[in-house]
Amino acid sequence: MHIYLTDGEGREHRLDALEGWRVMEIVRDHGFPIIAECGGACACGTCQVEVDPEWASRLHEPRDDELDMLDQNYGGPWSRLSCQLIFTAKLDGLRLRIADVALKDAA
Ligand code: FES
């Protein structure tokens, strides 16, 4: 199973994805410069990604604490916190982009 990740320079990468892993962990473990400062506690907002609009409706709804973090970190309509997205077979082929606010180089 895979996700397709667009990096800060607009290049798309196909990443192996394991069921049960947070999308943030998949991105980080493949060596991409995502900040993810709090390690997945939904407390920093620096794991923000923009999900392909075609995939957005297939994700579970964000909880209130995720919405709060997105509000504080310039989230847009397709923004999610990648630490709150648990990868499942249903998400095989998910497309997303690392948000500028979550890129180490841009911070
Ligand atoms: S890693 Fe901090 S909110 Fe996701």
Side-chain angles (χ1 to χ4, degrees), residues 54-73:
E54 290 191 11
W55 278 92
S57 63
R58 298 194 229 174
L59 304 174
H60 63 78
E61 291 291 313
R63 296 185 327 201
D64 288 349
D65 52 354
E66 180 181 351
L67 287 173
D68 286 349
M69 270 300 131
L70 288 169
D71 277 352
Q72 292 171 39
N73 289 281

Side-chain angles (χ1 to χ4, degrees), residues 2-103:
H2 301 93
I3 63 173
Y4 293 89
L5 177 76
T6 299
D7 65 21
E9 282 150 23
R11 286 187 300 246
E12 188 173 77
H13 306 265
R14 184 176 189 250
L15 312 184
D16 290 335
L18 288 176
E19 206 157 4
W21 281 45
R22 297 165 190 266
V23 170
M24 176 273 280
E25 294 169 323
I26 295 167
V27 171
R28 191 184 56 192
D29 275 39
H30 281 84
F32 289 92
I34 193 165
I35 301 172
E37 196 168 18
C38 76
C42 199
C44 71
T46 56
C47 63
Q48 191 183 137
V49 292
E50 288 167 18
V51 175
D52 181 311
E54 290 191 11
W55 278 92
S57 63
R58 298 194 229 174
L59 304 174
H60 63 78
E61 291 291 313
R63 296 185 327 201
D64 288 349
D65 52 354
E66 180 181 351
L67 287 173
D68 286 349
M69 270 300 131
L70 288 169
D71 277 352
Q72 292 171 39
N73 289 281
Y74 318 106
W78 314 119
S79 299
R80 295 297 302 261
L81 296 183
S82 59
C83 73
Q84 300 302 299
L85 300 175
I86 308 295
F87 186 79
T88 64
K90 239 176 62 179
L91 300 185
D92 187 20
L94 174 67
R95 287 196 136 78
L96 47 88
R97 184 180 90 76
I98 304 175
D100 292 345
V101 69
L103 278 169

